[in-house]
Amino acid sequence: MAEAQNIPAGATAGGAVAVAAESTVATRMSAPPSFDVADFPVPHGREEEWRFTPLERLKGLHDGTAKADGAVKAQVDAPEGVTVESVTRDDERVGKAGTPVDRIAAQAYSSFEKATVITVPKESVLTEPVRVLLHGEGGTTFGHTVFDIGAFAEAVIVVDHTGDGVRAANVDFLIGDGAKVTFVSVQDWDDTAVHCSQHNAKLGRDATFKSVVVTFGGDLVRLHPRVEYTGPGGDAELLGLYFTDAGQHQEHRLLVDHNVPNCKSNVVYKGALQGEQAHAVWIGDVLIEAAAEGTDTYEMNRNLVLTDGARVDSVPNLEIETGEIVGAGHASATGRFDDEQLFYLMARGIPQIEARRLVVRGFFAELVQQIGVKDIEERLIAKIEEELEASV
Amino acid sequence: MATLEIRDLHVTVEVENGTKEILKGVDLTVKQGETHAIMGPNGSGKSTLAYSIAGHPKYTITQGTVTLDGEDVLAMEVDERARAGMFLAMQYPVEVPGVSVSNFLRTSATAIRGEAPKLRTWVKEVKSAMEQLQMDPAFAERNVNEGFSGGEKKRHEILQMELLKPKIAILDETDSGLDVDALRTVSDGVNRVRETGEVGTLLITHYTRILRYIKPDFVHVFAGGKIVESGGPELADTLEAEGYEKYTKGGAAV
Ligand SMILES: Nc1ncnc2c1ncn2[C@@H]1O[C@H](COP(=O)(O)OP(=O)(O)OP(=O)(O)O)[C@@H](O)[C@H]1O
Ligand SMILES: [Mg+2]
């Protein structure tokens, strides 16, 4: 496959540490983070942060022409003890976890009417997930959701996106000291939907955050999962799985900012692509700031290209400002399921569809097992099968 | 009794500046229970013959027929050929990332046998077959051929042959890259399948060495894209003594 880029794996640990002279993460942004959309220039497409994104398919989210004229049917299933509020933007919890880093995130922030705040009180250990079902009913919508997780609380949160529409909405996580949160965001949109979202997680001391981003649907999906720490002992695991079909653009731009000492992060994103003009973009930025001694981080992106005509851009980026760390590494690889592999499996009696299924299932298996939410794992496997059936 | 018949087989491949004919009229009949050795110099088209019978998409059949018990093999998809009882042990087995050997073997056995083998007996079957081929049980959890040494790949091919019990097995240079001990182990594996009397074996090789362990009923000399001489096992001895020179001289060469 001529087009897919294959970036060799690299790793830095202990003594061998690369010190970034100038942060490429900072220079890559067209403007400093801001809540005000007016602080961002309208992108023209050649900017580093926009160069992979087909702007013409954003339906005006990037240039201010998208107006809130649509609807999303929202359903929240909150276990006992969990509160759900609708608040205005001056609520102090809104925007506290992070600041928009691009024009669309700022547009979402500037445009939502009411934000939803879902609170898990401190020390409450949920036995059932909090489920948010968002079903797009067409048109453009903006939104903002805050999950406020009290100290030592434990929660699994599943946000499910289905239906059609153009949506820009950010999701914040305020995670108290010692809390444990698993967040699953499923993008199972119709193939016409557009979805942009910045996920901001702010971790307290000794907090654990596991984010699972699953992207199947949409014409264009562009997500920014981001993590920062406010105290030592924080542990973030960012898992991602995407299945990019013909014509789809799915972009995941991650940032883990190690700004305090002794925190951990582990990023694993895996994607399968098939069909003409399937395009997956993965940008993985990990910063280890000077203060972040004792950091332990690893990030990996793997792609499996199943057919010709698909394209992958994978850019891992690790910036290290201190040598006093436990470990830091990154890897990116794009492999192709090629005719020789197919021939080998078929020469053992395995039909073509089964051969593809075997390879893709194997590719995702380990990642799916790490999710730890049974019904999501099962649904993912079923969904992967469905995508494969559709392809052959 | 299963019979593979190859008649006047012509095969081409696409090369940079056009089409190149590699097989130029191959005739051969292999019956269940028989072992045929095909010997020939490098580049004479032995692997092309093997791949063409198995249905590799790179090769175009321009003339001739291949039938298995009268059924048109060339009309079958690659997987159908395998399910019809054909097996190809490849000269260069392919790595398949993400798929474990155990998963691969089971999926394949399920496809070939038409139903999933009973788990308990299956596990035993695989384990004992691996033991006999002196394969570490850890291989079951590794990805198919990924990081296998040359010899390990060949053992893995023969493991599949033992488990899939084909009617016709084509072994493409299964002996190359094996040291003497490995050669013996692998040959024993092939012989176990042969002793059932239910497989017709087409043993492709460059050297006579393997024929000390796997006794052929027939030996064919392959040169310039076709069989140029056939005989009994004694033909191998002649080749051992005289080499391929007399077949590659005078225009018969590739
Ligand atoms: N895809 C291809 N493109 C171009 N040439 C090919 C292709 N496949 C085979 N050939 C050529 O066809 C001829 C026969 O190749 P083949 O691999 O069948 O030989 P072989 O007898 O198996 O040789 P060896 O003993 O080295 O395994 C060689 O000249 C080879 O270069
Ligand atoms: Mg060969």
Side-chain angles (χ1 to χ4, degrees), chain A residues 102-127:
Chain A
D102 73 0
R103 189 173 156 103
I104 296 181
Q107 182 74 63
Y109 197 89
S110 304
S111 305
F112 71 80
E113 268 181 37
K114 284 284 179 66
T116 304
V117 177
I118 298 176
T119 304
V120 180
K122 70 172 190 205
E123 291 171 25
S124 75
V125 176
L126 303 183
T127 53

mmCIF file of all heavy atoms in Angstrom, chain A residues 102-127:
data_model
loop_
_atom_site.group_PDB
_atom_site.id
_atom_site.type_symbol
_atom_site.label_atom_id
_atom_site.label_comp_id
_atom_site.label_asym_id
_atom_site.label_seq_id
_atom_site.Cartn_x
_atom_site.Cartn_y
_atom_site.Cartn_z
ATOM 1 N N ASP A 102 -8.685 24.252 19.855
ATOM 2 C CA ASP A 102 -8.817 24.639 18.449
ATOM 3 C C ASP A 102 -10.127 25.387 18.239
ATOM 4 O O ASP A 102 -10.945 25.501 19.154
ATOM 5 C CB ASP A 102 -8.648 23.448 17.496
ATOM 6 C CG ASP A 102 -9.845 22.503 17.495
ATOM 7 O OD1 ASP A 102 -10.827 22.748 18.238
ATOM 8 O OD2 ASP A 102 -9.791 21.502 16.748
ATOM 9 N N ARG A 103 -10.301 25.875 17.054
ATOM 10 C CA ARG A 103 -11.433 26.756 16.807
ATOM 11 C C ARG A 103 -12.769 26.051 16.995
ATOM 12 O O ARG A 103 -13.727 26.640 17.497
ATOM 13 C CB ARG A 103 -11.334 27.353 15.393
ATOM 14 C CG ARG A 103 -12.379 28.429 15.189
ATOM 15 C CD ARG A 103 -12.261 29.174 13.898
ATOM 16 N NE ARG A 103 -13.575 29.712 13.598
ATOM 17 C CZ ARG A 103 -13.929 30.976 13.761
ATOM 18 N NH1 ARG A 103 -13.034 31.871 14.183
ATOM 19 N NH2 ARG A 103 -15.153 31.369 13.501
ATOM 20 N N ILE A 104 -12.849 24.788 16.646
ATOM 21 C CA ILE A 104 -14.138 24.094 16.780
ATOM 22 C C ILE A 104 -14.485 23.848 18.247
ATOM 23 O O ILE A 104 -15.629 24.022 18.657
ATOM 24 C CB ILE A 104 -14.142 22.780 15.968
ATOM 25 C CG1 ILE A 104 -14.004 23.111 14.483
ATOM 26 C CG2 ILE A 104 -15.408 21.984 16.230
ATOM 27 C CD1 ILE A 104 -14.022 21.913 13.558
ATOM 28 N N ALA A 105 -13.477 23.466 19.032
ATOM 29 C CA ALA A 105 -13.732 23.277 20.463
ATOM 30 C C ALA A 105 -14.186 24.603 21.090
ATOM 31 O O ALA A 105 -15.089 24.631 21.935
ATOM 32 C CB ALA A 105 -12.489 22.752 21.156
ATOM 33 N N ALA A 106 -13.567 25.708 20.654
ATOM 34 C CA ALA A 106 -13.962 27.025 21.164
ATOM 35 C C ALA A 106 -15.347 27.404 20.655
ATOM 36 O O ALA A 106 -16.154 27.999 21.375
ATOM 37 C CB ALA A 106 -12.936 28.073 20.744
ATOM 38 N N GLN A 107 -15.635 27.023 19.416
ATOM 39 C CA GLN A 107 -16.977 27.269 18.859
ATOM 40 C C GLN A 107 -18.032 26.532 19.685
ATOM 41 O O GLN A 107 -19.068 27.087 20.024
ATOM 42 C CB GLN A 107 -17.025 26.785 17.404
ATOM 43 C CG GLN A 107 -18.347 27.041 16.705
ATOM 44 C CD GLN A 107 -18.523 28.514 16.360
ATOM 45 O OE1 GLN A 107 -17.764 29.076 15.582
ATOM 46 N NE2 GLN A 107 -19.515 29.153 16.988
ATOM 47 N N ALA A 108 -17.727 25.292 20.012
ATOM 48 C CA ALA A 108 -18.652 24.509 20.836
ATOM 49 C C ALA A 108 -18.859 25.199 22.175
ATOM 50 O O ALA A 108 -19.991 25.351 22.649
ATOM 51 C CB ALA A 108 -18.105 23.093 21.048
ATOM 52 N N TYR A 109 -17.745 25.657 22.743
ATOM 53 C CA TYR A 109 -17.840 26.291 24.068
ATOM 54 C C TYR A 109 -18.611 27.599 24.003
ATOM 55 O O TYR A 109 -19.395 27.937 24.888
ATOM 56 C CB TYR A 109 -16.440 26.523 24.650
ATOM 57 C CG TYR A 109 -16.496 26.775 26.127
ATOM 58 C CD1 TYR A 109 -16.436 25.714 27.029
ATOM 59 C CD2 TYR A 109 -16.671 28.071 26.626
ATOM 60 C CE1 TYR A 109 -16.547 25.930 28.380
ATOM 61 C CE2 TYR A 109 -16.787 28.294 27.988
ATOM 62 C CZ TYR A 109 -16.721 27.218 28.858
ATOM 63 O OH TYR A 109 -16.843 27.435 30.200
ATOM 64 N N SER A 110 -18.407 28.329 22.924
ATOM 65 C CA SER A 110 -19.070 29.625 22.781
ATOM 66 C C SER A 110 -20.543 29.471 22.409
ATOM 67 O O SER A 110 -21.318 30.401 22.547
ATOM 68 C CB SER A 110 -18.371 30.460 21.694
ATOM 69 O OG SER A 110 -17.001 30.606 22.004
ATOM 70 N N SER A 111 -20.917 28.309 21.918
ATOM 71 C CA SER A 111 -22.258 28.160 21.333
ATOM 72 C C SER A 111 -23.253 27.355 22.159
ATOM 73 O O SER A 111 -24.446 27.446 21.912
ATOM 74 C CB SER A 111 -22.148 27.496 19.955
ATOM 75 O OG SER A 111 -21.269 28.207 19.119
ATOM 76 N N PHE A 112 -22.778 26.552 23.101
ATOM 77 C CA PHE A 112 -23.773 25.734 23.811
ATOM 78 C C PHE A 112 -24.667 26.627 24.673
ATOM 79 O O PHE A 112 -24.240 27.668 25.145
ATOM 80 C CB PHE A 112 -23.106 24.639 24.644
ATOM 81 C CG PHE A 112 -22.371 25.106 25.871
ATOM 82 C CD1 PHE A 112 -23.063 25.408 27.044
ATOM 83 C CD2 PHE A 112 -20.975 25.222 25.879
ATOM 84 C CE1 PHE A 112 -22.379 25.831 28.190
ATOM 85 C CE2 PHE A 112 -20.291 25.642 27.014
ATOM 86 C CZ PHE A 112 -20.992 25.953 28.161
ATOM 87 N N GLU A 113 -25.926 26.182 24.849
ATOM 88 C CA GLU A 113 -26.858 26.970 25.661
ATOM 89 C C GLU A 113 -26.743 26.601 27.118
ATOM 90 O O GLU A 113 -26.561 27.441 27.982
ATOM 91 C CB GLU A 113 -28.283 26.745 25.176
ATOM 92 C CG GLU A 113 -28.689 27.770 24.136
ATOM 93 C CD GLU A 113 -30.107 27.567 23.663
ATOM 94 O OE1 GLU A 113 -30.967 27.192 24.506
ATOM 95 O OE2 GLU A 113 -30.339 27.757 22.460
ATOM 96 N N LYS A 114 -26.918 25.332 27.380
ATOM 97 C CA LYS A 114 -26.812 24.839 28.749
ATOM 98 C C LYS A 114 -25.783 23.711 28.763
ATOM 99 O O LYS A 114 -25.685 22.955 27.798
ATOM 100 C CB LYS A 114 -28.160 24.280 29.232
ATOM 101 C CG LYS A 114 -29.190 25.340 29.608
ATOM 102 C CD LYS A 114 -28.848 25.955 30.952
ATOM 103 C CE LYS A 114 -29.830 27.050 31.401
ATOM 104 N NZ LYS A 114 -31.182 26.576 31.673
ATOM 105 N N ALA A 115 -25.035 23.630 29.847
ATOM 106 C CA ALA A 115 -24.127 22.499 30.014
ATOM 107 C C ALA A 115 -24.779 21.489 30.957
ATOM 108 O O ALA A 115 -25.617 21.853 31.781
ATOM 109 C CB ALA A 115 -22.801 22.971 30.585
ATOM 110 N N THR A 116 -24.396 20.238 30.814
ATOM 111 C CA THR A 116 -24.885 19.194 31.713
ATOM 112 C C THR A 116 -23.757 18.837 32.676
ATOM 113 O O THR A 116 -22.625 18.598 32.241
ATOM 114 C CB THR A 116 -25.285 17.942 30.910
ATOM 115 O OG1 THR A 116 -26.240 18.340 29.929
ATOM 116 C CG2 THR A 116 -25.869 16.868 31.801
ATOM 117 N N VAL A 117 -24.070 18.854 33.959
ATOM 118 C CA VAL A 117 -23.068 18.433 34.940
ATOM 119 C C VAL A 117 -23.571 17.162 35.619
ATOM 120 O O VAL A 117 -24.677 17.134 36.163
ATOM 121 C CB VAL A 117 -22.811 19.531 35.995
ATOM 122 C CG1 VAL A 117 -21.818 19.028 37.049
ATOM 123 C CG2 VAL A 117 -22.293 20.805 35.334
ATOM 124 N N ILE A 118 -22.790 16.114 35.534
ATOM 125 C CA ILE A 118 -23.148 14.839 36.154
ATOM 126 C C ILE A 118 -22.148 14.574 37.276
ATOM 127 O O ILE A 118 -20.932 14.557 37.049
ATOM 128 C CB ILE A 118 -23.135 13.705 35.106
ATOM 129 C CG1 ILE A 118 -24.187 14.011 34.021
ATOM 130 C CG2 ILE A 118 -23.384 12.345 35.761
ATOM 131 C CD1 ILE A 118 -24.231 13.035 32.872
ATOM 132 N N THR A 119 -22.686 14.428 38.468
ATOM 133 C CA THR A 119 -21.809 14.353 39.640
ATOM 134 C C THR A 119 -21.894 12.985 40.309
ATOM 135 O O THR A 119 -22.985 12.485 40.582
ATOM 136 C CB THR A 119 -22.204 15.438 40.667
ATOM 137 O OG1 THR A 119 -22.161 16.709 40.011
ATOM 138 C CG2 THR A 119 -21.239 15.447 41.848
ATOM 139 N N VAL A 120 -20.750 12.402 40.554
ATOM 140 C CA VAL A 120 -20.668 11.192 41.366
ATOM 141 C C VAL A 120 -20.054 11.630 42.693
ATOM 142 O O VAL A 120 -18.905 12.067 42.738
ATOM 143 C CB VAL A 120 -19.789 10.114 40.692
ATOM 144 C CG1 VAL A 120 -19.715 8.859 41.558
ATOM 145 C CG2 VAL A 120 -20.297 9.785 39.299
ATOM 146 N N PRO A 121 -20.845 11.549 43.764
ATOM 147 C CA PRO A 121 -20.356 12.093 45.040
ATOM 148 C C PRO A 121 -19.112 11.365 45.536
ATOM 149 O O PRO A 121 -18.877 10.211 45.174
ATOM 150 C CB PRO A 121 -21.514 11.855 46.014
ATOM 151 C CG PRO A 121 -22.675 11.445 45.193
ATOM 152 C CD PRO A 121 -22.174 10.941 43.890
ATOM 153 N N LYS A 122 -18.400 12.021 46.386
ATOM 154 C CA LYS A 122 -17.150 11.438 46.866
ATOM 155 C C LYS A 122 -17.399 10.120 47.600
ATOM 156 O O LYS A 122 -18.432 9.933 48.236
ATOM 157 C CB LYS A 122 -16.388 12.428 47.741
ATOM 158 C CG LYS A 122 -17.015 12.687 49.067
ATOM 159 C CD LYS A 122 -16.078 13.521 49.937
ATOM 160 C CE LYS A 122 -16.650 13.528 51.337
ATOM 161 N NZ LYS A 122 -16.367 14.565 52.206
ATOM 162 N N GLU A 123 -16.470 9.221 47.419
ATOM 163 C CA GLU A 123 -16.479 7.896 48.059
ATOM 164 C C GLU A 123 -17.620 6.991 47.621
ATOM 165 O O GLU A 123 -17.796 5.898 48.165
ATOM 166 C CB GLU A 123 -16.465 8.015 49.588
ATOM 167 C CG GLU A 123 -15.130 8.547 50.082
ATOM 168 C CD GLU A 123 -15.125 8.894 51.561
ATOM 169 O OE1 GLU A 123 -15.923 8.323 52.306
ATOM 170 O OE2 GLU A 123 -14.304 9.752 51.941
ATOM 171 N N SER A 124 -18.417 7.417 46.655
ATOM 172 C CA SER A 124 -19.465 6.488 46.233
ATOM 173 C C SER A 124 -18.934 5.602 45.115
ATOM 174 O O SER A 124 -18.360 6.062 44.140
ATOM 175 C CB SER A 124 -20.741 7.230 45.834
ATOM 176 O OG SER A 124 -20.560 7.828 44.586
ATOM 177 N N VAL A 125 -19.112 4.322 45.306
ATOM 178 C CA VAL A 125 -18.604 3.340 44.358
ATOM 179 C C VAL A 125 -19.801 2.796 43.576
ATOM 180 O O VAL A 125 -20.636 2.092 44.116
ATOM 181 C CB VAL A 125 -17.868 2.198 45.100
ATOM 182 C CG1 VAL A 125 -17.426 1.118 44.117
ATOM 183 C CG2 VAL A 125 -16.664 2.768 45.862
ATOM 184 N N LEU A 126 -19.891 3.152 42.309
ATOM 185 C CA LEU A 126 -21.050 2.757 41.512
ATOM 186 C C LEU A 126 -20.914 1.312 41.059
ATOM 187 O O LEU A 126 -19.841 0.886 40.638
ATOM 188 C CB LEU A 126 -21.185 3.655 40.281
ATOM 189 C CG LEU A 126 -21.286 5.152 40.530
ATOM 190 C CD1 LEU A 126 -21.488 5.884 39.202
ATOM 191 C CD2 LEU A 126 -22.420 5.482 41.501
ATOM 192 N N THR A 127 -22.010 0.583 41.148
ATOM 193 C CA THR A 127 -21.968 -0.797 40.677
ATOM 194 C C THR A 127 -22.495 -0.895 39.249
ATOM 195 O O THR A 127 -22.309 -1.892 38.573
ATOM 196 C CB THR A 127 -22.791 -1.717 41.601
ATOM 197 O OG1 THR A 127 -24.096 -1.165 41.717
ATOM 198 C CG2 THR A 127 -22.152 -1.821 42.973
#
